[in-house]
Amino acid sequence: DQQVKQNSPSLSVQEGRISILNCDYTNSMFDYFLWYKKYPAEGPTFLISISSIKDKNEDGRFTVFLNKSAKHLSLHIVPSQPGDSAVYFCAAPLFTGNQFYFGTGTSLTVIP
Amino acid sequence: DAGVIQSPRHEVTEMGQEVTLRCKPISGHNSLFWYRQTMMRGLELLIYFNNNVPIDDSGMPEDRFSAKMPNASFSTLKIQPSEPRDSAVYFCASSSGLTGLGGYTFGSGTRLTVV
């Protein structure tokens, strides 16, 4: 059973516009969430995280929003750049250091 | 720091053959994880070790899969016998006990093709 879901397998956005990647989860016990970015032939790399006690975390062009009542989080990339083209995974652990539950990923293509 | 090192990068093998994937975690990290990436299921956790001890192997799909961590700097994932449906990218990741909000560090993966 997927505890973390990404329902959009792909997304295309024009360069300079906003990219919004969505993630839903089922377990209200998750206490923080992470986004990973993966380029072809490379392993996923950590991008940004958010604790469940916050509803927003911003790092440069990347902002993650958390809506606990809806069990939903989203990653906003503004402005989008061609180098952002990658697969993005959302993930959540039950406890720090424990195994992470990953979504199936969303492939973002930023069109120049 | 060289990061998490996986070998081989690519492996093509015939059905029925034994396959061994290797991983060297980051020095000082005490947790190691094996994941498999497929289109349908994304990143699935197969097994994870803490201080070289297997903690949860519930994700290992079948008895054909086995994993070992004989010491803090080396782990293997073995598939015997391999089947075409095992074709996927296998990732190893490691973390320190205090993961904080940074999650894991992943290796570059091993792309396995079973023909």
Side-chain angles (χ1 to χ4, degrees):
Chain A
D1 183 30
Q2 287 281 118
Q3 298 208 41
V4 178
K5 301 177 184 179
Q6 293 175 260
N7 293 317
S8 297
S10 62
L11 174 68
S12 290
V13 172
Q14 287 289 135
E15 181 178 3
R17 308 293 276 270
I18 184 171
S19 295
I20 300 177
L21 297 93
N22 294 304
C23 180
D24 297 296
Y25 61 95
T26 57
N27 194 331
S28 58
M29 296 291 289
F30 288 143
D31 56 3
Y32 71 95
F33 304 87
L34 305 92
W35 285 92
Y36 281 81
K37 177 178 181 179
K38 183 187 177 304
Y39 291 117
E42 295 183 12
T45 56
F46 169 73
L47 181 62
I48 190 170
S49 64
I50 186 167
S51 167
S52 61
I53 63 173
K54 302 177 78 172
D55 54 19
K56 176 182 174 181
N57 188 30
E58 188 173 353
D59 183 2
R61 297 185 297 112
F62 301 90
T63 303
V64 57
F65 295 92
L66 175 62
N67 182 334
K68 288 188 289 294
S69 60
K71 294 193 178 71
H72 176 85
L73 64 155
S74 60
L75 174 67
H76 293 211
I77 306 173
V78 183
S80 301
Q81 299 174 355
D84 297 329
S85 297
V87 177
Y88 290 80
F89 293 94
C90 65
L94 274 178
F95 306 105
T96 300
N98 205 333
Q99 65 265 39
F100 282 53
Y101 298 90
F102 282 85
T104 50
T106 297
S107 178
L108 173 66
T109 302
V110 180
I111 303 165
Chain B
D1 191 340
V4 176
I5 300 172
Q6 290 186 247
S7 64
R9 289 298 307 271
H10 302 274
E11 176 79 41
V12 180
T13 190
E14 291 185 348
M15 182 174 64
Q17 296 297 305
E18 177 180 298
V19 175
T20 299
L21 312 181
R22 296 173 176 78
C23 175
K24 177 177 168 53
I26 289 175
S27 177
H29 280 190
N30 62 349
S31 294
L32 183 140
F33 308 81
W34 282 100
Y35 277 86
R36 176 171 69 176
Q37 183 190 8
T38 62
M39 290 293 292
M40 290 299 295
R41 300 177 67 88
L43 283 164
E44 298 177 90
L45 177 67
L46 301 177
I47 185 171
Y48 88 95
F49 295 84
N50 193 49
N51 294 322
N52 312 338
V53 176
I55 302 300
D56 185 350
D57 66 353
S58 60
M60 298 285 260
E62 298 172 35
D63 291 346
R64 299 183 295 107
F65 286 71
S66 63
K68 293 182 180 179
M69 192 165 186
N71 57 61
S73 60
F74 183 65
S75 177
T76 59
L77 177 68
K78 184 178 293 186
I79 308 172
Q80 165 63 20
S82 58
E83 297 182 3
R85 59 192 168 121
D86 302 330
S87 298
V89 182
Y90 291 80
F91 289 101
C92 175
S94 70
S95 71
S96 62
L98 297 175
T99 308
L101 299 183
Y104 305 155
T105 301
F106 281 86
S108 298
T110 295
R111 180 173 293 277
L112 173 64
T113 303
V114 183
V115 298

